[in-house]
Amino acid sequence: MGAVAESTLSRLRADFPILDREINGHSLVYLDSAASSQKPRQVIEAMDSFYAHSYGTVHRGVYELGREATELFEGARERIAAFVNWDSDLSIFTRNATEAINLVAYAWGRGNLGPGDEVLITEMEHHSNIVPWQLACEDTGAKLRYLSVPESGELSLDELDAVLAEGRVRLVAVGHVSNVLGTINPVEEIARRARAAGALTLVDGAQSVPQMPVDLRAIDADFYAWTGHKALGPTVGMLHGRRELLKEMRPFLGGGHMISRVEREHSTWNELPWKFEAGTNAIAEAIGLGAAVDYLAAAGMDAVRAHERELTAYALERLPEVAGITLYGPRDVDRRGGVVPFTIEGMHPHDIAELCDREAVCVRAGHHCAQPLMRVLGVGATARASFHVYNTRDDVDRLVHALNGAREVFGL
Ligand code: 7TS
């Protein structure tokens, strides 16, 4: 199966101009797509063509360029919404996943949370899905609680049920795929159980939408946030929400574009989704993300997922050859996405990343914006390799080679 997946996608490598680069005399091995993915020429060309031939601002100009820009921009929104199976008027452009989560924490959180309420997150969240809730809880008197992450790296639905049964949780905010452990969380089941207990669910899909099929109607959460730059697109984010909630919520940011009528003392709001899009949008970025989802849809998200699964399995097989290495996250590749965190005894993760860089192997080192999880794992930092469509088994071999070389430099 793995061989099929790799041969299906191997032709895609040629679409990524950056992979032609050499660094320090070595061809580039980019293993940091969980931080941000590289871009295919189709995305670069869509943005370039917009700037070169159709540039104008949206929703305002009565002239041809304004009409073209609006069509390209709203057309991108429609295809992006369809890509995750959600309504386009309930799909809001944001700066990134972080802003999408903050939008909910401000516009829903401030209006609905209060003393006695609880927001439930997990110990494996990215800071983007922790800090906005800390601030919302501070402002409203609600309490922030965490589901624990055990050694297996997988959440316990029994623990979820036990906390929900106490009856105080108003919102469960959980990552779909962990950016550190790779764990694929059962968000459909979490949303179902939360709803049964009278709580809403927000899913942070920053790591899931780029690498696996995501069907928002099937997941049936109340809010779903993600970010384009990890999904082969530019720096723009998305928030998808349930109609009745978005209608009721106050706007997040005020300004142009999001209003219907402005009086001296108060205003009324534009229709969805524009009520939540204050100011001039990141127009070219939205168009670029439209091209990115077209690209991913053409590759086939089942094939993308199969490719990442295959590379993760291969990495989990080969990395233990490096002496002193510790791998983290679920062992079962059916339950984890394309990220592989690791530490090597006697070497700081930053030294690992720096020595890999000498061979043009890009891996991330640090706390991965998940400091509470690092404490649970009992480490200050890890190194992390992560994959996308353009990676190959050869990249994993190059990583293993670079790691063995790094150990030698350290005299290990
Ligand atoms: N949520 C998760 C699960 C993420 O992995 C990230 C980014 C974010 C939210 C934030 O995305 P942004 O576009 O709003 O910044 N994660 C990482 C990472 O793992 N390394 O660098 C960024």
Side-chain angles (χ1 to χ4, degrees):
M1 171 194 173
V4 174
E6 182 146 327
S7 64
T8 316
L9 292 187
S10 55
R11 69 190 147 76
L12 301 187
R13 265 182 79 78
D15 292 331
F16 292 80
I18 207 165
L19 298 179
D20 293 340
R21 269 201 71 170
E22 290 204 343
I23 294 176
N24 302 329
H26 300 279
S27 61
L28 180 66
V29 174
Y30 187 75
L31 294 173
D32 199 16
S33 297
S36 201
S37 67
Q38 297 299 343
K39 320 302 171 200
R41 71 184 150 70
Q42 288 83 344
V43 168
I44 299 166
E45 282 167 11
M47 296 175 74
D48 193 53
S49 155
F50 171 61
Y51 280 127
H53 304 295
S54 306
Y55 186 77
T57 193
V58 296
H59 301 141
R60 276 170 279 236
V62 291
Y63 43 83
E64 176 60 22
L65 288 178
R67 272 196 298 277
E68 273 180 37
T70 305
E71 263 172 42
L72 288 166
F73 175 74
E74 290 300 339
R77 188 198 308 273
E78 276 171 29
R79 298 190 328 278
I80 293 162
F83 181 68
V84 292
N85 195 19
W86 202 244
D87 295 342
S88 61
D89 65 332
L90 308 177
S91 298
I92 298 157
F93 284 116
T94 61
R95 279 174 56 227
N96 44 38
T98 304
E99 190 179 82
I101 296 169
N102 274 279
L103 192 163
V104 178
Y106 276 89
W108 179 85
R110 270 42 172 203
N112 289 278
L113 294 170
D117 292 336
E118 292 178 354
V119 173
L120 180 61
I121 63 173
T122 85
E123 288 175 342
M124 68 171 89
E125 298 314 307
H126 186 279
H127 294 164
S128 297
N129 202 24
I130 299 176
V131 184
W133 303 116
Q134 291 175 338
L135 294 170
C137 287
E138 267 173 37
D139 283 358
T140 61
K143 185 174 162 196
L144 185 62
R145 291 186 65 177
Y146 287 80
L147 285 180
S148 62
V149 173
E151 179 81 34
S152 67
E154 301 195 63
L155 301 173
S156 156
L157 290 175
D158 289 341
E159 189 187 351
L160 170 71
D161 284 342
V163 179
L164 290 174
E166 293 173 26
R168 288 186 290 272
V169 176
R170 299 288 313 278
L171 177 98
V172 180
V174 59
H176 196 163
V177 173
S178 161
N179 67 313
V180 179
L181 299 172
T183 315
I184 302 174
N185 288 316
V187 288
E188 195 172 325
E189 191 56 32
I190 291 171
R192 196 180 68 74
R193 293 182 191 211
R195 178 158 305 133
L200 301 182
T201 304
L202 174 142
V203 179
D204 171 1
Q207 296 292 343
S208 46
V209 175
Q211 60 166 308
M212 58 198 251
V214 170
D215 180 340
L216 295 192
R217 285 205 168 77
I219 293 168
D220 208 20
D222 298 282
F223 300 104
Y224 197 99
W226 57 287
T227 198
H229 67 95
K230 298 181 203 279
L232 311 185
T235 37
V236 63
M238 295 304 299
L239 176 70
H240 309 276
R242 205 177 280 291
R243 184 177 307 278
E244 55 284 13
L245 292 166
L246 294 176
K247 268 186 143 167
E248 273 170 26
M249 280 154 55
R250 288 185 81 211
F252 170 40
L253 300 172
H257 198 205
M258 50 73 73
I259 51 84
S260 163
R261 190 178 167 87
V262 177
E263 305 291 350
R264 289 171 70 100
E265 308 298 338
H266 63 88
S267 302
T268 56
W269 316 131
N270 200 345
E271 304 284 312
L272 293 172
W274 308 293
K275 168 183 165 186
F276 291 105
E277 293 182 357
T280 303
N281 293 89
I283 306 167
E285 286 77 4
I287 291 167
L289 186 57
V293 301
D294 291 347
Y295 185 88
L296 286 168
M301 288 311 291
D302 285 322
V304 173
R305 166 67 186 140
H307 183 77
E308 301 230 359
R309 184 184 170 286
E310 140 82 7
L311 286 178
T312 306
Y314 185 59
L316 294 178
E317 179 191 316
R318 286 232 49 205
L319 284 169
E321 289 171 24
V322 180
I325 200 165
T326 303
L327 302 173
Y328 303 87
R331 285 286 169 272
D332 181 351
V333 286
D334 286 330
R335 296 151 88 106
R336 70 184 287 164
V339 301
V340 181
F342 59 93
T343 51
I344 297 176
E345 208 181 338
M347 292 180 74
H348 192 279
H350 283 121
D351 294 327
I352 297 175
E354 220 170 287
L355 289 166
C356 284
D357 180 51
R358 292 191 194 169
E359 297 193 20
V361 175
C362 311
V363 294
R364 173 93 196 267
H367 52 63
H368 314 294
C369 299
Q371 289 181 3
L373 179 60
M374 292 293 120
R375 285 180 209 115
V376 170
L377 297 177
V379 294
T382 76
R384 181 189 69 182
S386 55
F387 310 113
H388 217 299
V389 291
Y390 34 75
N391 292 116
T392 61
R393 288 162 76 98
D394 187 48
D395 292 346
V396 175
D397 295 337
R398 289 269 307 273
L399 172 65
V400 171
H401 182 266
L403 294 176
N404 282 327
R407 288 189 76 256
E408 273 172 34
V409 171
F410 264 68
L412 295 171

